[in-house]
Amino acid sequence: MKKAGATVNAFEIPVKVTIKSPAESAVSPFSRLSAYFVGDNAVAYGSANGTNVEYNLFKLYKDMGTEKGNVAFTETLHEIDGHNCAAWIVETPTNPGDISVKVYDNAQNADNRDNVYSTREIQAAYTVFGNVHIAKIVDKFNLTVKSEIKEGVLEATTAANASGNGVSPIKVSLKNITAKDVYGEAYNLTQMYKKSGSTYVADTAEPMDSRIQSVKVVLADDNAKEYLAIEDHSGSQFAPTGTDAYSYFSVVKKSAETALQNDVPCKVSLVVLDKWGATTTTTVTITLKK
């Protein structure tokens, strides 16, 4: 016990206290899904409707639960040759992290600096657990929006090449066109058909892929333009083969009553316009025989 009137000595003991932010102690839930990145570059396909492509930036990150509310996305809007870039980030989003990007414009001399196939620098700033007294974690990356269809495969096999005198229609079946999206999944270029009794009818479960706006046949070189005509099938360039699930297109010689003096190879292209606004093309050789 302390005696009455005794002197009490005070001692100072130095104690070092280190306060670490969650980022430093690896507790932060804010983290990239690394397989979606090459360095600081990422690609998104989003959902396309023919006008815009919608995507949510949180798909690039691990699930944060309610901590999403502590992340703010911004973007770098450069001025390029007097052009002020349009924002991708939705100002009043349905969900935090929503972006909307204009589809690619195929018009001649179109300005696509804000559209699909352009790249935008995005910054994600995370206020750690909502604590404004802790330095924010900032992640910067470059995002490019691309088409699921264009980044896939559209290829005419050698079996698609055809020949004939052109007096009778020369047919090219879409069975011989390989069409796969970026994921390697086959997609329908046109309405598909199924057998019903002795005939083939439209298969309502297999329409043209919903990501496609149009598929057109185009005479692709001078020979084709001079010597061929694309047949019309009741207002369409395509008709069911009647022998399998596929459609075909056909061409004829422009001047059936004029004799060819030699065989004429012609290039004919199939052009797919998708809902990202992108076009994909494959070409077949059709040889007019003399």
Side-chain angles (χ1 to χ4, degrees):
M1 293 180 62
K2 180 178 74 172
K3 293 180 181 181
T7 301
V8 177
N9 295 319
F11 296 92
E12 291 185 1
I13 302 174
V15 177
K16 183 179 181 181
V17 178
T18 302
I19 301 175
K20 288 188 174 184
S21 75
E24 294 175 303
S25 55
V27 175
S28 168
F30 182 59
S31 181
R32 290 178 177 181
L33 288 166
S34 60
Y36 292 143
F37 290 84
V38 176
D40 289 328
N41 300 305
V43 171
Y45 302 109
S47 176
N49 60 21
T51 303
N52 298 296
V53 178
E54 316 293 341
Y55 183 73
N56 189 277
L57 296 171
F58 279 110
K59 292 180 179 180
L60 296 166
Y61 292 89
K62 293 180 180 179
D63 185 15
M64 298 179 67
T66 57
E67 281 300 293
K68 284 182 179 180
N70 291 320
V71 177
F73 290 103
T74 56
E75 58 191 313
T76 302
L77 297 175
H78 293 293
E79 182 179 321
I80 307 171
D81 298 329
H83 168 81
N84 293 313
C85 290
W88 286 7
I89 296 173
V90 178
E91 189 172 345
T92 54
T94 302
N95 298 294
D98 281 350
I99 65 172
S100 181
V101 182
K102 291 181 181 179
V103 301
Y104 191 84
D105 187 347
N106 285 284
Q108 189 175 10
N109 300 321
D111 188 343
N112 281 292
R113 285 175 287 188
D114 297 324
N115 301 8
V116 168
Y117 281 95
S118 65
T119 299
R120 183 65 51 86
E121 182 183 81
I122 307 290
Q123 302 89 35
Y126 173 47
T127 302
V128 182
F129 297 115
N131 189 337
V132 296
H133 301 292
I134 298 176
K136 293 181 180 181
I137 301 173
V138 178
D139 184 37
K140 295 183 180 181
F141 61 92
N142 302 308
L143 181 66
T144 305
V145 177
K146 296 184 178 183
S147 160
E148 290 179 354
I149 300 300
K150 187 173 181 61
E151 296 304 306
V153 175
L154 183 69
E155 184 178 5
T157 66
T158 55
N161 296 327
S163 63
N165 60 23
V167 176
S168 298
I170 303 171
K171 298 180 179 181
V172 176
S173 173
L174 298 188
K175 181 178 182 178
N176 297 316
I177 307 291
T178 299
K180 294 183 179 181
D181 64 19
V182 68
Y183 311 110
E185 297 292 329
Y187 62 88
N188 296 337
L189 289 166
T190 60
Q191 171 69 56
M192 302 297 283
Y193 297 86
K194 64 180 180 180
K195 195 166 188 179
S196 177
S198 60
T199 62
Y200 280 81
V201 297
D203 185 346
T204 57
E206 294 286 348
M208 182 176 74
D209 193 285
S210 62
R211 296 168 295 178
I212 302 298
Q213 292 196 68
S214 66
V215 180
K216 293 183 178 179
V217 182
V218 176
L219 302 176
D221 68 0
D222 288 342
N223 278 355
K225 293 171 185 177
E226 290 168 355
Y227 295 104
L228 294 180
I230 301 167
E231 274 206 308
D232 177 79
H233 301 279
S234 302
S236 172
Q237 292 182 324
F238 302 96
T241 63
T243 57
D244 57 26
Y246 293 87
S247 295
Y248 73 91
F249 67 85
S250 54
V251 296
V252 293
K253 190 168 71 169
K254 267 187 177 179
S255 179
E257 66 274 19
T258 306
L260 289 171
Q261 301 305 306
N262 52 269
D263 294 347
V264 182
C266 304
K267 299 293 184 183
V268 178
S269 293
L270 195 69
V271 181
V272 176
L273 173 64
D274 62 42
K275 289 188 177 178
W276 285 261
T279 55
T280 313
T281 302
T282 189
T283 301
V284 300
T285 299
I286 295 178
T287 303
L288 272 178
K289 307 296 284 185
K290 65 178 182 179

